Amino acid sequence: MESLNSNGKQGFGFVNKWTDMLGLRVALGVLEAGLYPSIVYLLATWYSRYDVGKRYSAFYIVGCLALAFGGILAYGLMQMDGISGKTGWRWIFIMEGVITCAGSFLAYLFLVDFPEKSDRSWKFLNTQERDFIIRRINKDRDDAVPEPFTLSRFLKPALDIKIWILALISFFIITVTTSISVFLPIILNSGFGFSVAASQCLIAPPYAVAALLMIASAYVGDHYHVRGPILIANSLIALIGLPIMGFAVSNGARYFGVFLVTAGTNANIPTALAYQANNVRGQWKRAFCSALFVGMGGVGGISGGTIFRSQDKPKYIPGISAAIG
């Protein structure tokens, strides 16, 4: 699926009509939709409640670093402008699609199944190690081996209001993180006055700081068995950064606000994932919750894509206010 996803991404570099682009974007969304919730679910099945926070952080840090250096990579690929008669933005889609496609085949070779089947995944574990993992999970929450699947068993958690509250947490966090990740280069360029090249490069340091906060949050959460207070603390960091980013006078101070917003919001994503994993028991309930949690995050991504508007530059006060709210 990820290979097909990357092929769709490459296709963006060859289309000439917006309708073709729309069709490819829908196909890309369909092919990509199952990836993230599946990873979230698979990780939760492997680790006990207070080991999973560090694993979610490690997983998300990879994506965070990709965001950090994606702007630099995009700027480098833009220098291919004119090669084979294609503009720079087309080469971004083509080359990033090629890289993803190659990586998907490599990832498939090392993909590991669920714990109870892990001894059959390129001998990742032997039977004794597999049994140890299963005993450890059962001691923690007694749901290592899934019950037989039924549609009613899978959908029954939809009646639990707590599942929807967890999904709303995902929606609000992703709304802000998406708005920052998508519009930060534009804000740095049109709002702060940096050049295009500088704007693409300046998005990297805030994400590096976010990675450090993720590690710290995961360690504290797993070690002290807390999630909610860490979510609140990281949210306060972001809330401090947003008005600094929007209302400070100097660009230096506003850029410092970017660090706080980026770190606080992104560090809350793996913390929220661990929070929902710690409060769900049963494989099919966990599967439903993971899908709903990530799905509502996708809706938050749509919301985040509408917050910062070009007519609001250079301060982007409506966008800042919406993110604070």
Side-chain angles (χ1 to χ4, degrees):
M1 294 294 284
E2 188 61 20
S3 176
L4 292 172
N5 172 22
S6 61
N7 288 332
K9 189 177 292 184
Q10 292 176 54
F12 290 153
F14 297 98
V15 298
N16 295 306
K17 297 180 181 178
W18 74 267
T19 51
D20 296 336
M21 179 76 80
L22 179 62
L24 282 172
R25 187 64 188 89
V26 171
L28 178 65
V30 170
L31 294 170
E32 195 176 39
L35 176 66
Y36 193 63
S38 297
I39 294 174
V40 169
Y41 172 53
L42 182 62
L43 281 173
T45 63
W46 269 91
Y47 297 100
S48 61
R49 286 172 297 168
Y50 298 109
D51 285 330
V52 75
K54 292 189 287 289
R55 276 69 186 186
Y56 278 141
S57 289
F59 161 63
Y60 193 73
I61 281 171
V62 175
C64 201
L65 292 177
L67 287 172
F69 295 102
I72 299 173
L73 177 63
Y75 179 73
L77 294 174
M78 283 288 289
Q79 307 314 304
M80 297 177 69
D81 184 63
I83 296 178
S84 298
K86 292 181 172 55
T87 55
W89 70 266
R90 293 181 182 273
W91 281 113
I92 292 174
F93 285 114
I94 293 170
M95 295 309 298
E96 289 188 352
V98 168
I99 293 169
T100 305
C101 187
S104 67
F105 288 111
L106 184 64
Y108 180 78
L109 297 176
F110 294 97
L111 193 63
V112 178
D113 210 329
F114 293 99
E116 69 274 14
K117 302 176 182 178
S118 56
D119 56 318
R120 287 175 270 172
S121 298
W122 50 275
K123 298 181 180 179
F124 179 69
L125 299 178
N126 59 40
T127 54
Q128 290 81 13
E129 291 168 333
R130 178 203 63 191
D131 292 342
F132 169 77
I133 293 293
I134 291 175
R135 286 196 304 270
R136 194 164 184 263
I137 295 170
N138 281 332
K139 182 180 179 181
D140 179 63
R141 58 177 187 266
D142 195 25
D143 65 354
V145 179
E147 300 171 308
F149 175 80
T150 64
L151 187 61
S152 61
R153 184 175 284 146
F154 177 73
L155 295 177
K156 185 178 179 181
L159 301 175
D160 187 347
I161 187 63
K162 295 187 293 296
I163 300 298
W164 292 94
I165 293 173
L166 290 168
L168 282 175
I169 292 174
S170 173
F171 169 80
F172 290 123
I173 293 173
I174 300 298
T175 295
V176 182
T177 55
T178 300
S179 65
I180 295 298
S181 65
V182 170
F183 292 104
L184 185 55
I186 299 172
I187 293 171
L188 291 172
N189 175 237
S190 60
F192 287 35
F194 294 111
S195 67
V196 173
S199 299
Q200 294 286 7
C201 293
L202 285 171
I203 66 174
Y207 282 100
V209 173
L212 295 176
L213 185 58
M214 280 182 216
I215 295 170
S217 297
Y219 175 80
V220 172
D222 282 354
H223 185 74
Y224 294 103
H225 297 186
V226 292
R227 304 296 183 198
I230 297 174
L231 282 171
I232 294 171
N234 288 338
S235 297
L236 289 174
I237 291 172
L239 282 173
I240 293 170
L242 281 165
I244 296 174
M245 177 181 164
F247 302 109
V249 176
S250 69
N251 279 345
R254 295 180 70 192
Y255 189 51
F256 173 70
V258 170
F259 274 82
L260 296 180
V261 176
T262 305
T265 54
N266 281 277
N268 259 349
I269 293 178
T271 303
L273 288 170
Y275 187 50
Q276 66 91 17
N278 287 176
N279 287 280
V280 175
R281 183 174 172 271
Q283 292 283 28
W284 299 120
K285 185 174 184 178
R286 187 179 307 282
F288 179 87
C289 187
S290 296
L292 182 63
F293 189 91
V294 176
M296 286 297 289
V299 177
I302 298 172
S303 173
T306 65
I307 286 180
F308 292 99
R309 306 175 303 174
S310 59
Q311 60 264 41
D312 298 327
K313 64 182 182 183
K315 292 291 187 179
Y316 295 97
I317 300 303
I320 298 294
S321 301
I324 291 174

